[in-house]
């Protein structure tokens, strides 16, 4: 419709509508809706239908002979705490990916507002395919060689002005037909936005990242998010989400605040560190320092400095209260500046832990306690 008159839709008008949609999405981050109308001379086939499935089927059958009325742009700005939270995640070595059903330019604009995208140049599926072709021409068929080549290409690319940081925006239709080599390269990007994504593709993204030994956490609030939340290591549901999403999640944000995840990660890291401090204190204190006097008494005939009762009294005083103090120790200022630990290598107790506990702390306690 133009100037109140209905005119045919030609290629020029269609291109103008698509150009305006792209401009609104890229410059203002709008979700663009196309409004149409249709006049019925006899009766409206949609009236009187109560069943939603039947209503949808009838509407699809009558989705023809429509007249374009105009475009409507909806702006949904991110919450104020998102930018700061994403910055703290990045400082802690945690990558934040956006997986959304929005149009790609809209998703990229919102991601830049949230700090998820910071690079001046953003790659797309064409750059991924180009790097795969480079790998094939260089006969990099081995998976390890392919990943090494992709990393060198990402770091040395002159298009990216920020060192070791690269951005990628991929739409859902572009994910069809991608192989393992494509996903190897996608997993190397620090900043990723997946637009026009279906629930099945969101699940695919989670599984591909998990298959490359990444620890994945997924946030969601709808039923469509449940498969991806269950496939992730940690599923996070919003407090105002559906009951199905809450039941499928591991964590529920009751205040609907994304920044609560920062607090949760900080508390988890602090608890892990304080537990190691308590264990490294208790192991040599309650084992080595008490076994050595008894061993000296049996082997060398030296007298036991303390009776069993006094040793229990000392344990009660030194172990309990010192452990309480250590477990409630305040976090260090650089707690959220360390990279995430590798669960397969950096456990709560390892060989280095026992060497420190018995080879250093235990000997110091034993020697100083009997001198």
């Amino acid at each position: 419709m133009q100037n109140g008159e209905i005119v045919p839709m030609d290629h020029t008008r269609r291109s103008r509508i698509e150009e305006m949609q792209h401009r609104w999405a890229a410059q203002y981050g709008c979700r663009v809706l196309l409004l149409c109308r249709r006049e019925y001379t006899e009766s409206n086939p949609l009236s009187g239908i109560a069943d939603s499935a039947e209503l949808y089927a009838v509407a699809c059958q009558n989705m023809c002979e429509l007249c374009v009325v105009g475009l409507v742009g909806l702006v949904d700005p991110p919450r104020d705490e998102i930018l700061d939270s994403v910055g703290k995640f990045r400082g802690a070595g945690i990558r934040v990916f956006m997986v959304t059903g929005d149009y790609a330019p809209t998703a990229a604009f919102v991601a830049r507002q949230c700090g998820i995208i910071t690079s001046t140049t953003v790659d797309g599926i064409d750059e991924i395919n180009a790097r795969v072709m480079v790998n094939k021409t260089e006969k990099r068929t081995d998976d390890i060689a392919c990943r090494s080549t992709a990393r060198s290409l990402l770091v040395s690319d002159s298009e990216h002005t920020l060192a070791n940081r690269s951005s990628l925006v991929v739409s859902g239709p572009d994910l069809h037909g991608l192989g393992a080599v494509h996903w190897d390269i996608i997993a190397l990007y620090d900043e990723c936005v997946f637009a026009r994504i279906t629930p099945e593709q969101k699940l695919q993204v989670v599984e591909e990242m998990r298959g490359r030994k990444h620890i994945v956490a997924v946030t969601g609030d709808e039923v469509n998010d449940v498969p991806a939340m269950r496939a992730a290591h940690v599923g996070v549901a919003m407090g105002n989400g559906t009951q199905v999403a809450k039941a499928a999640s591991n964590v529920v944000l009751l205040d609907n605040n994304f920044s609560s995840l920062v607090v949760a990660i900080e508390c988890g890291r602090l608890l892990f560190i304080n537990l190691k401090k308590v264990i490294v204190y208790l192991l040599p204190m309650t084992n080595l320092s008490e076994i050595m006097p008894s061993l000296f008494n049996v082997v060398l005939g030296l007298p036991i400095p303390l009776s069993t009762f006094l040793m229990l009294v000392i344990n009660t005083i030194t172990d309990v209260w010192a452990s309480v103090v250590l477990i409630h120790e305040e976090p260090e200022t650089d707690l959220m500046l360390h990279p995430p630990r590798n669960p397969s290598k950096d456990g709560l107790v390892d060989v280095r832990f026992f060497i420190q506990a018995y080879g250093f702390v235990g000997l110091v306690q034993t020697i100083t306690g009997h001198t």
Side-chain angles (χ1 to χ4, degrees):
M1 178 175 291
Q2 184 176 358
N3 298 326
E5 297 182 357
I6 298 178
V7 295
M9 176 66 70
D10 54 13
H11 178 73
T12 302
R13 294 186 176 91
R14 181 184 295 273
S15 300
R16 181 183 176 186
I17 293 175
E18 293 177 352
E19 187 274 333
M20 186 174 296
Q21 176 199 9
H22 183 82
R23 179 161 53 87
W24 285 9
Q27 295 182 4
Y28 309 106
C30 294
R31 296 175 177 175
V32 184
L33 303 180
L34 180 67
L35 302 183
C36 301
R37 75 172 189 179
R38 178 182 175 181
E39 296 181 358
Y40 294 95
T41 57
E42 298 179 356
S43 62
N44 187 355
L46 303 179
S47 61
I49 301 177
D51 184 67
S52 58
E54 183 182 357
L55 180 62
Y56 178 78
V58 175
C60 292
Q61 294 176 359
N62 292 270
M63 196 70 67
C64 58
E65 300 180 4
L66 301 178
C67 177
V68 177
V69 177
L71 298 176
V72 174
L74 303 179
V75 178
D76 186 13
R79 300 177 65 171
D80 297 334
E81 70 275 3
I82 298 296
L83 182 61
D84 182 64
S85 300
V86 172
K88 291 181 179 179
F89 282 136
R90 182 169 286 116
I94 301 172
R95 295 185 296 172
V96 180
F97 290 179
M98 175 186 288
V99 183
T100 178
D102 290 338
Y103 186 47
T106 303
F109 183 89
V110 176
R112 195 172 292 277
Q113 283 184 318
C114 297
I116 298 176
I117 290 182
T118 57
S119 301
T120 56
T121 302
V122 180
D123 289 347
I125 192 62
D126 293 336
E127 285 75 14
I128 299 296
N129 292 329
R131 291 187 172 106
V132 172
M133 293 302 298
V134 170
N135 292 341
K136 290 182 178 180
T137 56
E138 294 180 355
K139 298 182 180 180
R140 304 290 188 176
T141 56
D142 185 78
D143 289 341
I144 299 178
C146 288
R147 294 176 185 177
S148 176
T149 303
R151 170 58 69 182
S152 63
L153 286 170
L154 286 174
V155 174
S156 62
D157 194 344
S158 60
E159 293 179 345
H160 302 96
T161 58
L162 299 178
N164 297 334
R165 179 172 298 173
S166 49
S167 303
L168 174 68
V169 177
V170 181
S171 296
D174 298 332
L175 298 181
H176 295 292
L178 295 185
V181 180
H182 296 83
W183 283 103
D184 286 340
I185 298 176
I186 292 175
L188 294 175
Y189 279 86
D190 295 328
E191 304 167 354
C192 285
V193 174
F194 297 93
R196 290 294 189 191
I197 295 296
T198 63
E200 294 78 10
Q201 291 173 333
K202 187 173 184 179
L203 175 62
Q204 180 187 10
V205 172
V206 174
E207 292 177 343
E208 293 291 346
M209 293 301 166
R210 286 201 58 166
R212 285 152 184 82
K213 308 301 181 182
H214 295 294
I215 305 298
V216 183
V218 175
T219 61
D221 56 1
E222 298 292 340
V223 178
N224 294 335
D225 301 322
V226 170
M229 293 170 62
R230 287 182 174 176
H233 292 92
V234 180
V236 182
M238 297 298 174
N240 60 352
T242 61
Q243 293 298 327
V244 177
K246 293 180 182 179
S249 64
N250 305 104
V251 179
V252 178
L253 302 181
L254 298 178
D255 57 355
N256 299 312
N257 197 331
F258 187 73
S259 61
S260 298
L261 289 176
V262 179
V263 180
I265 294 175
E266 184 178 5
C267 292
R269 290 188 173 188
L270 177 62
L271 178 61
F272 183 84
I273 294 176
N274 287 349
L275 278 177
K276 294 193 71 171
K277 293 179 180 178
V278 171
I279 297 175
V280 78
Y281 170 76
L282 290 179
L283 278 180
M285 186 67 184
T286 59
N287 293 332
L288 189 62
S289 300
E290 298 173 2
I291 292 176
M292 292 305 294
S294 302
L295 184 63
F296 289 156
N297 175 261
V298 174
V299 176
L300 302 178
L302 298 178
I304 298 179
L306 296 175
S307 63
T308 304
F309 174 75
L310 290 178
M311 294 177 67
L312 292 176
V313 172
I314 293 176
N315 280 342
T316 304
I317 297 175
T318 58
D319 293 359
V320 175
W321 297 110
S323 300
V324 171
V325 172
L326 288 175
I327 202 66
H328 286 89
E329 191 172 0
E330 294 295 325
E332 300 177 0
T333 55
D334 60 344
L335 180 64
M336 292 296 291
L337 298 179
H338 297 292
R341 64 183 181 89
N342 189 343
S344 61
K345 298 180 180 180
D346 304 326
L348 188 62
V349 177
D350 52 16
V351 176
R352 293 185 302 173
F353 179 86
F354 283 108
I355 294 176
Q356 181 183 5
Y358 290 107
F360 177 71
V361 179
L363 290 179
V364 172
Q365 291 179 352
T366 303
I367 295 173
T368 56
H370 295 85
T371 55

